[in-house]
Amino acid sequence: MKIYTRTGDAGQTSLIGGRRVSKADLRIDTYGTVDELNSWIGLLRDQPVNANRRALLKEIQDRLFTAGAELATDPNKPPRQAIPAIIDADITRLEDNMDAMDTELPELRKFVLPGGHASVSFAHLARTVCRRAERLAIGLNSESPVDPLVITYLNRLSDYLFVLSRKMAQDLAVDEVAWEPRV
C-alpha cells in the first residue's frame, strides 16, 4: 500500500464516512491540531524524566487518536464500523493522576512562566497546543456537534499537562520560573 494517493492534491480530503471537504475546513484543522498534540505527547513520553509516566502518556496518545477519529467522522453519515469513544473513566484517570502529583508539589502561589528546563518547556508546549485543540473543538461544536467528552477530555488534559510540567520541574530539581509582574 502506498502512502500517497494523490486524492488530496487539489486541497480536498475525506472524512470518515466518505464526504470530501477542504483541507482548510475547521473540522480538519481541529483533528490536525489533536494530531499535532499527539506528537508533543510522544516527545514528552520520550523524556527520561517521564520514565515512570510512559504508560500513561502512551494511553493519552491512544485517547488522542480516539478523539481524532471522533473529530474526523462526518456527523451526517455514521461510519460503517464502530469507532472508539472517549469515556468518563478517561477523564477521571487524568484527574486522579493530577491529584497524585499535586500531593507532592508545593502550593502554587504565582503564575509560572514556561521554561526552566527543556523537558519542562516541552510540557508547556504540549499544554498550549492542547488549549488550541480545545478552542478549535469548541468552535467546531458551534457549527456541528462534537462529543462533549472530547471537549472535556481536552480541557482536563491541558490541566494535566500543566501539573505535569510542575512535577517534571520538581523531579528534575529545577526551579519553576515564577512570573514577577512589572508594576
Side-chain angles (χ1 to χ4, degrees), residues 11 17 22 32 38 44 48 57 73 88 98 131 159 176 178:
S22 167
N38 207 328
L44 277 177
L57 290 167
T73 299
D88 288 323
M98 276 188 282
R131 286 288 189 210
D159 295 337
E176 289 183 303

Side-chain angles (χ1 to χ4, degrees), residues 8 15 35 79 99 138 154 168:
L15 297 175
D35 186 39
D99 292 345
I138 290 166
L154 291 170
M168 289 169 64

Side-chain angles (χ1 to χ4, degrees), residues 122-177:
F122 293 148
H124 283 288
L125 283 164
R127 174 185 57 78
T128 60
V129 171
C130 189
R131 286 288 189 210
R132 178 166 28 104
E134 178 190 10
R135 290 189 304 272
L136 289 168
I138 290 166
L140 178 61
N141 189 54
S142 69
E143 292 180 7
S144 177
V146 171
D147 180 349
L149 288 177
V150 168
I151 294 171
T152 301
Y153 187 81
L154 291 170
N155 179 271
R156 208 66 82 251
L157 179 56
S158 62
D159 295 337
Y160 168 83
L161 291 167
F162 177 74
V163 176
L164 177 61
S165 71
R166 296 192 70 220
K167 183 66 175 129
M168 289 169 64
Q170 183 184 60
D171 292 349
L172 290 163
V174 297
D175 291 332
E176 289 183 303
V177 182

